[in-house]
Amino acid sequence: LSLKKVRLRTTFASMDSSSPSTLLASCEFHNHVLQQYSDSELSSVIDVAIGAVSFHDSRVITSYKEVQIHGPIFMGEHIEAVA
């Protein structure tokens, strides 16, 4: 799934966001969360981010990560592609 116009209302969590030890991040401030990723997890995220691949097998993520998009998602406005 490729989304558009949602970057500024997206947050990232280093683990389940219900945990009190969760690190939260935004697109602008995320280094502290990326430091929690293994080398293979980070490499896979980079591959998708730069368009080298459309997706990776989810088994590459060895510990739970969470992304939240705040607000509504409309097919015609926010969905760029479904892979």
Side-chain angles (χ1 to χ4, degrees), residues 14-78:
S14 59
M15 61 180 69
D16 188 329
S17 61
S18 67
S19 171
S21 59
T22 300
L23 299 174
L24 297 175
S26 67
C27 289
E28 290 79 16
F29 302 100
H30 57 271
N31 290 346
H32 60 293
V33 170
L34 291 178
Q35 289 175 340
Q36 305 300 310
Y37 282 50
S38 69
D39 288 347
S40 62
E41 289 173 329
L42 189 55
S43 177
S44 296
V45 169
I46 291 169
D47 286 348
V48 174
I50 65 171
V53 297
S54 297
F55 60 91
H56 272 284
D57 188 313
S58 62
R59 290 176 285 191
V60 76
I61 304 298
T62 56
S63 69
Y64 180 80
K65 309 291 191 280
E66 191 172 295
V67 176
Q68 296 180 7
I69 300 169
H70 306 278
I73 301 291
F74 297 107
M75 286 292 280
E77 187 175 345
H78 300 111

